[in-house]
Amino acid sequence: MANIKSAKKRVLVAQRNNERNTAFKTSIKTAIKKALAAVEDEAALKVALSNVYKLCDKAVSKGILHKNTAARKKSRLTIAINKLLASK
């Protein structure tokens, strides 16, 4: 642990930000799983896909994800959904 007061504060801030970022990334993963599970119902799929896109874009604007990472996640999800729909 740091000895200087400002360094102690930075440790606390970094820990708080890490928890917030981890929670946000987890919510994105959960939304992706829900979208993949909603392939059966077209209306639910549309809503779930929109939610994933929204969360990814919000993560980019908050600096949690890099823009290319978000684009890759959205692209892979779309490809997976199209593959599942084609196999039906």
Side-chain angles (χ1 to χ4, degrees):
M1 186 73 180
N3 292 329
I4 299 170
K5 186 176 182 182
S6 61
K8 290 179 183 178
K9 181 181 178 186
R10 293 308 308 162
V11 167
L12 294 175
V13 169
Q15 183 180 6
R16 186 182 67 226
N17 289 343
N18 180 270
E19 290 171 2
R20 185 183 304 134
N21 293 348
T22 304
F24 204 94
K25 287 179 185 179
T26 305
S27 70
I28 292 173
K29 291 177 192 173
T30 305
I32 289 172
K33 288 177 187 171
K34 285 183 180 177
L36 289 171
V39 171
E40 303 300 323
D41 184 19
E42 191 173 329
L45 176 63
K46 204 172 227 182
V47 170
L49 199 58
S50 171
N51 188 34
V52 172
Y53 281 21
K54 181 179 79 171
L55 286 173
C56 285
D57 292 339
K58 192 178 283 191
V60 169
S61 68
K62 288 176 181 252
I64 296 170
L65 290 180
H66 190 271
K67 65 178 183 167
N68 291 352
T69 304
R72 185 180 67 242
K73 284 184 183 291
K74 292 189 288 188
S75 175
R76 287 181 178 172
L77 176 64
T78 305
I79 290 168
I81 288 175
N82 286 340
K83 201 177 281 188
L84 287 172
L85 290 173
S87 68
K88 274 175 47 175

